[in-house]
Amino acid sequence: MPDIPKTYTAESYEDALYQRWEESGLFTPIIQEGVRPFVISIPPPNATGTLHLGHATMLAIQDIMIRYHRMKGIPSLWIPGTDHAGIATQNKVEKLLAEKGITRHQLGRPKFMEEVEKFVEQSRSTIKTQVKKMGASVDWSRERFTLDQGLSRAVREVFVRMYSDGIIYRGDSIVNWCTRCSSTLADDEVKYKEEHTKFYYIKYGPVIIGTARPETKFQDKVIIVHPDDERYKSYHGQKLQVPWINGNVEATFIADPAADPEFGSGAMTITPAHSFVDFDIAKRNSLPIISIIDEKGNLTAEAGEFAGQNAHDARAAIVKKMQDRGLIESVDHNYMHNLSVCYRCDTPIEPLVSKQWFVDVNKEFKFKKSNRRPIKGIRDGQKVTLKQLMRHAVEKNAITILPDRFNKTYFHWIDNLRDWCISRQIWYGHQVPVWYCVGDKDKACKIDCKEPVVGTSAPEQCKYCGSSNFRQDPDTLDTWFSSGLWTFSTLGWPDDTADLRYFHPTSVLETGYDILFFWVARMILMATYAIGEIPFETVYLHGLVRTRTGEKMSKSKPETCIDPLDMIAKYGADALRLSMIVGSAPGNDVRLYEEKIAGYRNFVNKIWNAARFALLNIGEEDLNRPMSQELKSTAAISLADKWILTRTQELIKDVTNHLENFQFSEAGTKIYDFTWGEYCAWYLEISKGEHKNLPVLIYVLKTVLKMLHPFVPFVTEALWKELNEEKMLIGEPWPVFQKDLIFKKDAADMQAIIDTISAIRSMRQESGIEAGQKLNAIVYASKKHLSLLEAKREPIIRLGRLEELELHQLTKAGDHKVHNALSQFLSCGIEIYIPVEGIIDIASERVRLSKEVENLKSYLSSLDTKLSNENFIKNAPTALVAEQREKQATEKEKLAKLEKKLAQMSV
RNA sequence: GGGCGGUUAGCUCAGUUGGCUAGAGCGCCUCGUUGACGUCGAGGAGGUCACAGGUUCGACUCCUGUACCGCCCACCA
């Protein structure tokens, strides 16, 4: 008999098990031509530090999918990796340096980069450890990092292609500028914060204009009015002199629909260089764009005497001057507006015009079709825009988004998408693959050869002046530019590798809904553009992990913020995994707290003990005996065996279906209920009293362990070893539904026994009979049931805690009187009486009985009305009608018996 | 302003083609040393499925509207 501890202590098994898995090589799939693989690219965690519960969630869900498919015998690849996360990582390192009083500028670019790389190396190894702690069965041999040589090559390749297709361009455009990061930000890297501020109404010649930012108004020179606004129709195109902050300016009236006649005076001035809306108006009307604020946040020469001052700080003085000049009409002191701030550092965003690199999402180019798994519906060489491609991929169902409500969000995002600013003025990242000739020292370049040279590597010689001195563009690319390539750059693209050919497109992209735009959409853009394939077939979006009260978890609130590593140390990775899977629906946020994890730890321990008990009954020789044949041999098989075998087959069907349909919570719940509520609570309990059928016991245990494995890989693998299995569970085949192990009738019979025992237990306790008190039970049943009950006499007595069990055949008259007894009438026709004379007060039983009669009556009346409704009979499925009829009959019979019984008690 | 989601037992949540007297875990109450498990076992209380209409033989489930909570997008000078 194996010596197994009474409780499962996760920490003494997990690391060793993970190591065994790794050493087994099973994390690395074997390419089988002709078999479609199952592939997940991990959403690469940022190389900024540690994993949080969001990562734990994604690891749990993805590991379930990977392990399931691996067990099904499908080559399953899960590629791990990390993202360099340019801005986030640079900020982090800058903060660390600031603690030592050092700035990145003091260090200089090369030294600073060394610091970053040191930090990142550390961080990446921490992340790797944590991924292992979760039990994630990723293929470490294919681990990638967005700054790897290969991936960097992919980045340059895409950049060059896009540039030559005219999709990437360099231009002066309005961008979100973070003055602290000294960098641009993409539109979706800007967050909004509500803020109270002053709102100024200012006289501008004949009109009153409103603004919250008077410091940007120095060069406002046009008055925009709506073309249809009758008040201003005669002014269109007129010029006039207007007294302004630093003297008079010449103002022009321009008609443009952007002006809302209902708002204020219906007229407005514009500041094209510092407002996205105004910039568009200026472009439409070919108006000059004058920068008032520079990249440090200071006022430019255009501000006259205020030049050089910080724009925000100068506001008061500027307002003062306006006031002195009589320009201020009024001030609203309680104006609410949304302040835009940097999503990384919370600094207010300054929209300004700057020379940057953009991806044009509306520019047509010739689509290049993949020759392996091309997107349907678009021809090779067809002219398309990136927007159209992104829309097409999802609209035509090449990509399925789950839950599907996110389709709408996705389309809305695409429709409002503007050109993507991809250059960043930070140091950490892929440097823009663009060079500029600087000429030679002795022979300064006379020809104007300053045009950008774009290429995958530095140019050798300037085609104009022959110089080989080039300066690479100092900017780096948006992090999402490289992570957008993730599904195929990790497989070796731009080379035509075996991996790329076999594993792309990937199967499922599983991630949080919060990065649908940041990342998911960008991957669709990049894959469809660069290789003419979709990056993945299904997008599964999980919700955010929140605190018990629904707040976002934040490290600044340690009392509610849960660290996955702490939980793993305390409850085990299996428990943590379950707590994030069961009871959560896709796309919905999950509230997590410690008791929940503790609950699943209890379940993990239950699994352990279920196996432990089985093992206490199984000898070594039994374990090692092949016994698949004996399973079906009728000689040794009992009713309980047939029942549990049937239930097991049904479970295989259910769990497999749910997993195929991404219903992880449902699948988990089903195995949980089966393991605890059927296998342990009934099958094992009943087996204690009778001759054990070892083949069935072992078969069911192993089958359940297999199905549990994707959810709780550690405890199941540990037990698998105790079962003397040589191979590891991770590589076992997924259970297959076997029709010949379904015993429908026997299963129903067993259910009748279970119901009988439950009824006895419930009667005892409801009447407040002491647990130690042994009782007699008198049971009436049909001939068929009688032999069943006879056969299961032992468990009924034991589990019902009876002294004696009297069995009688039910007579047609049903006239058996058992005086002063508790009674229960089961739907299957079994009648149970427990004489309680001298044990309890019979009056309370009367009360209980009448309550039950009332219940039954109201239920029956609802059935009656339903069945007397012609339309129900006509329209409802016949099976349902039959079922309801049957129910009506049995419940009617039951009611008659209950009423009779109640009458007998009135003595 | 536009869009999306939530509202089911005291708490946290399941409930996917509309068809069982609506389920689970935790908590609560009563009880328990039965050959694995007290990280256990038995039983129980507790819900007009937010509200109001509608469609349907039938609605927690579909439609319309309302209220409250939350999220996303846009951002009115």
Side-chain angles (χ1 to χ4, degrees):
Chain A
M1 195 198 294
D3 186 23
I4 306 169
K6 286 176 97 165
T7 47
Y8 171 66
T9 45
E11 75 270 18
S12 45
Y13 293 88
E14 291 183 348
D15 290 347
L17 285 170
Y18 194 89
Q19 203 184 331
R20 281 182 60 214
W21 286 330
E22 259 194 283
E23 286 163 0
S24 77
L26 287 167
F27 289 176
T28 301
I30 295 160
I31 293 180
Q32 294 173 43
E33 291 304 337
V35 180
R36 216 34 211 285
F38 182 80
V39 187
I40 297 178
S41 306
I42 211 167
N46 287 353
T48 46
T50 53
L51 294 191
H52 51 71
L53 280 174
H55 295 116
T57 305
M58 91 183 185
L59 291 171
I61 297 174
Q62 289 167 32
D63 198 38
I64 288 174
M65 290 192 262
I66 287 286
R67 285 181 190 267
Y68 166 66
H69 285 93
R70 188 185 289 126
M71 289 175 84
K72 283 210 317 184
I74 296 169
S76 302
L77 173 62
W78 191 9
I79 303 186
T82 35
D83 192 314
H84 69 283
I87 297 179
T89 307
Q90 178 160 328
N91 278 355
K92 182 95 193 193
V93 176
E94 279 185 62
K95 260 183 208 160
L96 292 172
L97 287 172
E99 285 169 14
K100 294 187 229 161
I102 309 170
T103 71
R104 69 165 151 132
H105 300 287
Q106 284 168 342
L107 278 183
R109 191 162 181 163
K111 272 258 159 59
F112 179 74
M113 291 310 293
E114 274 175 34
E115 288 295 319
V116 174
E117 271 155 29
K118 250 194 317 200
F119 169 80
V120 165
E121 202 178 323
Q122 176 77 38
S123 173
R124 287 182 61 210
S125 91
T126 308
I127 288 169
K128 193 167 170 176
T129 312
Q130 290 175 316
V131 171
K132 292 182 177 184
K133 282 272 176 198
M134 280 297 293
S137 56
V138 299
D139 182 359
W140 291 111
S141 72
R142 286 183 168 88
E143 189 187 359
R144 297 289 184 268
F145 178 49
T146 46
L147 283 178
D148 282 350
Q149 272 205 345
L151 277 69
S152 301
R153 199 153 65 86
V155 165
R156 289 196 298 273
E157 181 70 29
V158 170
F159 189 98
V160 171
R161 284 197 194 178
M162 284 185 156
Y163 183 78
S164 59
D165 272 340
I167 295 174
I168 283 184
Y169 66 92
R170 186 173 187 235
D172 283 305
S173 188
I174 187 155
V175 294
N176 302 293
W177 184 266
C178 173
T179 51
R180 197 219 63 87
C181 300
S182 293
S183 179
T184 56
L185 295 174
D187 290 346
D188 40 22
E189 289 172 328
V190 175
K191 294 285 155 240
Y192 295 90
K193 243 177 134 158
E194 275 209 331
E195 187 199 52
H196 279 283
T197 187
K198 288 179 188 163
F199 192 78
Y200 305 89
Y201 292 95
I202 307 169
K203 286 178 200 148
Y204 188 86
V207 298
I208 302 287
I209 58 159
T211 185
R213 302 200 60 196
E215 69 275 14
T216 64
K217 304 303 240 180
F218 290 98
Q219 298 298 333
D220 282 19
K221 283 177 178 166
V222 290
I223 301 171
I224 304 287
V225 292
H226 196 276
D228 302 334
D229 193 333
E230 293 297 330
R231 292 171 293 182
Y232 301 109
K233 273 209 161 150
S234 58
Y235 290 98
H236 293 183
Q238 263 193 35
K239 290 183 195 300
L240 69 159
Q241 291 293 312
V242 175
W244 199 223
I245 316 168
N246 290 333
N248 281 7
V249 292
E250 188 185 65
T252 314
F253 273 93
I254 303 269
D256 190 288
D260 177 4
E262 306 291 318
F263 190 89
S265 60
M268 64 178 181
T269 63
I270 57 167
T271 312
H274 303 288
S275 152
F276 281 84
V277 176
D278 294 2
F279 184 86
D280 287 344
I281 299 172
K283 276 264 150 148
R284 267 205 297 278
N285 296 285
S286 311
L287 301 171
I289 290 156
I290 305 162
S291 287
I292 312 294
I293 298 170
D294 68 16
E295 297 179 350
K296 289 186 178 123
N298 295 336
L299 291 162
T300 63
E302 303 293 341
E305 62 179 276
F306 299 100
Q309 295 187 32
N310 175 278
H312 188 265
D313 297 345
R315 182 183 295 171
I318 294 166
V319 171
K320 175 80 171 39
K321 185 166 185 197
M322 287 173 150
Q323 229 151 16
D324 293 346
R325 291 178 56 87
L327 295 172
I328 302 282
E329 167 79 13
S330 63
V331 183
D332 179 350
H333 288 266
N334 206 18
Y335 181 72
M336 264 297 242
H337 80 149
N338 277 326
L339 182 68
S340 49
V341 296
C342 173
Y343 84 134
R344 290 296 185 200
C345 68
D346 262 8
T347 308
I349 294 302
E350 198 65 69
L352 50 79
V353 170
S354 166
K355 205 174 236 6
Q356 300 292 343
W357 290 97
F358 292 89
V359 169
D360 191 331
V361 293
N362 292 306
K363 164 109 183 179
E364 285 195 331
F365 62 94
K366 277 189 190 165
F367 177 69
K368 248 191 240 91
K369 203 167 156 179
S370 151
N371 52 14
R372 298 175 312 108
R373 301 210 173 85
I375 304 169
K376 286 189 185 113
I378 304 181
R379 298 183 316 277
D380 192 50
Q382 187 177 335
K383 290 213 161 179
V384 285
T385 66
L386 289 175
K387 264 193 185 183
Q388 287 166 347
L389 266 183
M390 291 166 88
R391 179 171 260 287
H392 181 91
V394 176
E395 209 166 43
K396 302 296 176 202
N397 288 326
I399 298 174
T400 309
I401 302 181
L402 297 174
D404 69 352
R405 68 180 125 96
F406 284 102
N407 278 306
K408 214 170 172 176
T409 323
Y410 174 80
F411 289 134
H412 182 260
W413 182 80
I414 290 178
D415 292 342
N416 292 293
L417 189 61
R418 22 165 148 215
D419 288 357
W420 173 17
C421 176
I422 52 171
S423 45
R424 297 287 180 274
Q425 289 65 51
I426 56 168
W427 292 346
Y428 188 51
H430 300 99
Q431 208 167 335
V432 175
V434 175
W435 287 263
Y436 304 92
C437 170
V438 290
D440 289 328
K441 247 186 240 163
D442 49 343
K443 191 179 82 184
C445 178
K446 285 202 182 102
I447 327 156
D448 181 20
C449 56
K450 295 284 190 280
E451 72 180 49
V453 183
V454 176
T456 50
S457 56
E460 310 231 313
Q461 226 182 12
C462 174
K463 66 177 176 184
Y464 297 105
C465 72
S467 166
S468 52
N469 271 340
F470 285 89
R471 179 179 58 88
Q472 188 173 2
D473 194 318
D475 285 1
T476 49
L477 289 168
D478 182 3
T479 288
W480 304 106
F481 191 92
S482 54
S483 39
L485 315 177
W486 188 248
T487 61
F488 54 98
S489 65
T490 50
L491 292 171
W493 191 88
D495 294 335
D496 182 24
T497 61
D499 270 9
L500 184 65
R501 285 194 302 270
Y502 187 65
F503 292 114
H504 205 271
T506 65
S507 313
V508 180
L509 187 275
E510 195 285 334
T511 191
Y513 63 73
D514 53 330
I515 55 170
L516 177 62
F517 306 139
F518 282 126
W519 191 46
V520 180
R522 256 94 192 228
M523 281 195 287
I524 297 176
L525 184 159
M526 287 298 194
T528 50
Y529 170 76
I531 59 174
E533 287 178 20
I534 51 168
F536 30 70
E537 286 155 2
T538 305
V539 176
Y540 180 97
L541 298 168
H542 65 247
L544 270 38
V545 183
R546 296 177 174 279
T547 67
R548 152 173 254 141
T549 44
E551 284 137 7
K552 253 191 170 163
M553 282 205 186
S554 141
K555 278 182 195 158
S556 57
K557 287 183 208 151
E559 62 282 2
T560 49
C561 182
I562 294 176
D563 179 348
L565 283 184
D566 291 348
M567 295 300 108
I568 291 172
K570 210 164 164 186
Y571 302 105
D574 290 336
L576 179 63
R577 289 164 64 115
L578 278 179
S579 70
M580 290 179 307
I581 300 298
V582 178
S584 74
N588 285 5
D589 292 351
V590 188
R591 298 187 188 195
L592 193 70
Y593 39 88
E594 217 173 316
E595 299 96 292
K596 205 171 187 171
I597 305 167
Y600 289 108
R601 185 270 321 265
N602 296 352
F603 174 61
V604 168
N605 189 57
K606 188 74 181 176
I607 300 169
W608 181 259
N609 273 288
R612 179 171 186 260
F613 176 71
L615 281 163
L616 293 176
N617 289 290
I618 303 168
E620 291 277 328
E621 63 284 4
D622 296 316
L623 273 181
N624 301 330
R625 199 152 47 106
M627 45 180 81
S628 59
Q629 284 310 311
E630 296 175 47
L631 222 48
K632 294 164 212 164
S633 82
T634 47
I637 202 162
S638 76
L639 193 63
D641 292 331
K642 287 179 174 171
W643 172 75
I644 201 71
L645 284 172
T646 306
R647 294 293 303 128
T648 304
Q649 299 314 306
E650 286 165 358
L651 183 71
I652 293 171
K653 211 177 193 175
D654 283 348
V655 171
T656 306
N657 273 338
H658 285 133
L659 286 177
E660 290 292 332
N661 292 308
F662 300 93
Q663 294 163 333
F664 308 113
S665 172
E666 284 290 293
T669 307
K670 280 265 156 63
I671 323 177
Y672 181 102
D673 290 343
F674 176 86
T675 308
W676 204 318
E678 297 188 275
Y679 185 65
C680 291
W682 289 107
Y683 184 67
L684 291 187
E685 281 307 320
I686 284 171
S687 83
K688 284 176 184 173
E690 58 188 23
H691 175 69
K692 280 162 232 13
N693 187 333
L694 293 184
V696 173
L697 190 67
I698 295 170
Y699 162 80
V700 176
L701 178 62
K702 284 186 177 176
T703 305
V704 175
L705 287 178
K706 284 178 190 174
M707 281 190 277
L708 279 166
H709 184 254
F711 297 85
V712 285
F714 288 112
V715 70
T716 48
E717 191 71 78
L719 287 168
W720 200 251
K721 195 180 173 196
E722 298 292 345
L723 287 165
N724 275 10
E725 288 285 347
E726 278 168 27
K727 289 190 199 153
M728 277 191 282
L729 179 53
I730 186 177
E732 281 294 308
W734 184 254
V736 181
F737 173 80
Q738 280 175 268
K739 210 175 168 194
D740 60 338
L741 291 181
I742 293 258
F743 306 90
K744 234 175 168 174
K745 236 184 70 35
D746 303 87
D749 287 347
M750 186 62 212
Q751 195 58 51
I753 302 291
I754 288 173
D755 291 346
T756 303
I757 295 169
S758 288
I760 294 169
R761 284 170 164 179
S762 148
M763 285 152 79
R764 299 181 59 107
Q765 303 224 18
E766 268 184 67
S767 309
I769 297 169
E770 276 182 36
Q773 174 94 45
K774 294 268 181 170
L775 301 169
N776 296 331
I778 301 161
V779 174
Y780 285 82
S782 65
K783 201 170 178 183
K784 183 197 91 178
H785 278 143
L786 217 53
S787 60
L788 270 176
L789 291 162
E790 188 55 58
K792 290 293 166 194
R793 176 180 280 280
E794 187 282 326
I796 296 171
I797 289 179
R798 178 164 49 90
L799 299 175
R801 313 213 71 209
L802 299 174
E803 182 66 44
E804 260 180 58
L805 174 65
E806 255 183 60
L807 295 173
H808 300 286
Q809 185 164 350
L810 206 53
T811 55
K812 198 134 205 175
D815 214 13
H816 38 276
K817 286 185 192 165
V818 185
H819 282 293
N820 292 336
L822 305 174
S823 61
Q824 281 271 312
F825 303 93
L826 304 183
S827 299
C828 60
I830 293 176
E831 300 180 12
I832 306 157
Y833 299 88
I834 296 180
V836 285
E837 187 141 25
I839 298 175
I840 61 146
D841 176 19
I842 209 73
S844 60
E845 173 64 4
R846 256 190 72 83
V847 175
R848 195 195 64 79
L849 255 183
S850 15
K851 215 163 105 189
E852 206 183 325
V853 166
E854 284 318 302
N855 266 343
L856 201 50
K857 271 185 179 166
S858 78
Y859 177 45
L860 260 173
S861 89
S862 82
L863 277 181
D864 288 344
T865 43
K866 190 184 276 182
L867 286 166
S868 57
N869 184 338
E870 277 175 41
N871 287 319
F872 175 71
I873 309 295
K874 212 163 55 192
N875 297 317
T878 45
L880 183 75
V881 177
E883 190 188 305
Q884 300 285 306
R885 281 229 167 87
E886 197 179 325
K887 208 165 260 178
Q888 187 191 34
T890 57
E891 296 304 306
K892 218 170 221 163
E893 208 175 310
K894 189 172 160 188
L895 178 66
K897 286 178 184 171
L898 277 178
E899 281 180 322
K900 199 165 174 185
K901 172 72 186 166
L902 192 59
Q904 287 170 352
M905 281 178 82
S906 63
V907 188

